[in-house]
Every structure is written in C-alpha cells, then in structure tokens.
Amino acid sequence: MSDPSSRRNFLRGRVATHSAQPRPPWALAEAAFAERCTRCGDCARACPTRIIRQGDGGYPTVDFAAGECTFCGECVARCQPAALSRTAGAPAWSLRAAIGEQCLARRLVECRVCGEMCDSAAIRFRPQPGGIAQPELDVAACTGCGACVAPCPTGAIAVR
Ligand code: SF4
Ligand code: SF4
Ligand code: SF4
C-alpha cells in the first residue's frame, strides 16, 4: 500500500467504483469522486433547493423527493477539492427520469401532474381513444432535474 491514494482509500474503509446513490451534478467518476470528496458537506449547504443530503459513508447524494436540481452550479463552486468539477459543455450527469407502474394514468386514472412540472417538455401525454392519456418520456429531452419526482402523487417516477 505504498500508493498514497490507495492508502487513503484503505483508511476510509472502502474502494468505491460505483454508487447506486446519485451524486451531485458534475461529480467525477465514482472512484475519483470518493477519492477527492472529504465529506465536508459544503455542497449540501450551498444547494438552494436543499436536495443534497448525506448518503452512505457520509458522501453526498441527491434526494429528488426533496426537490429538483436547477443546475445552478452552486454545489460545484463550493467544492474545494473539486470532487465536483464543471468543464465547459460537459453534461451534469447521465440521470434520466423513468415512469413506473404505480403511475395513475397507467391504472386508468386521469393525471398529468408530471407533464405540467417538466420545463423541458420531456413528458408528453399520448391520447388514447376512449381512454386515459398516457405519459411518454422523451429520454433525449429529459435533463434528470427531478422536478417531476416529488409532485407525482403516487411516487411513480424515479431518476436513475
Ligand atoms: S446544481 Fe444547484 S440545485 Fe443542483 S444540486 Fe447543485 S446546488 Fe443544488
Ligand atoms: S404525475 Fe405520476 S401518477 Fe401522474 S401521470 Fe405522472 S407519473 Fe403518472
Ligand atoms: S427529470 Fe426533469 S426534465 Fe426529466 S422528465 Fe422529469 S421534470 Fe422533465
């Protein structure tokens, strides 16, 4: 364990290559993120929509049940060790919304809340002859902002 980064990982008790928990926007790849992030909480304190919380191991994760990401970049600006790092033109993340089976419209109950919340018009409702319009997600248009998640009355939307 002569390599200093390996030693730091050892001392922190993990060598991370992947996390199921979404990181804040513009996070480095998981292993590099875990190496740099000091778990200081500055990103969480900086977030105006309060969607960053402490996740596993004290590392920051985004909780879309608390609100949406506006991509303001405040979390990145506050990250001293540059575990969050915004390079020109780089996407914030690869997260996208997904509509699950708990969706009311899928159960033939009228609901269009998610479509009304989506500023990117990524959720459109396709009319069904004699039935309930069904939501369809345009993955290419979705930014993964999460604005549709909390307002969904059945918790049918996940961002992953
Ligand atoms: S970009 Fe802004 S809204 Fe999104 S997680 Fe960072 S501080 Fe919060
Ligand atoms: S807000 Fe939720 S329940 Fe309503 S249409 Fe969208 S996914 Fe379905
Ligand atoms: S995550 Fe944001 S952009 Fe994607 S469908 Fe939901 S509201 Fe629209």
Side-chain angles (χ1 to χ4, degrees), residues 47-52 62-72 93 117-119 143-151:
C47 179
T49 54
R50 297 278 179 259
I51 63 169
I52 302 178
V62 168
D63 179 7
F64 292 110
E68 68 184 282
C69 178
T70 62
F71 304 107
C72 67
W93 47 33
M117 298 307 297
C118 181
D119 287 344
T143 62
C145 71
C148 54
V149 173

Side-chain angles (χ1 to χ4, degrees), residues 108 125-136:
L108 306 182
F125 282 78
R126 181 182 293 272
Q128 305 292 312
I132 299 294
Q134 295 295 307
E136 290 182 353

Side-chain angles (χ1 to χ4, degrees), residues 103-125:
C103 169
L104 290 174
R106 299 254 195 275
R107 299 179 178 196
L108 306 182
V109 177
E110 179 75 32
C111 178
R112 298 188 182 215
V113 171
C114 53
E116 290 161 8
M117 298 307 297
C118 181
D119 287 344
S120 303
I123 301 176
R124 303 283 181 90
F125 282 78

Side-chain angles (χ1 to χ4, degrees), residues 1-11 14-15 35:
M1 198 173 298
S2 55
D3 171 33
S5 68
S6 298
R7 179 170 169 74
R8 277 197 296 275
N9 278 333
F10 175 77
L11 291 172
R14 54 84 193 95
V15 178
E35 174 59 33

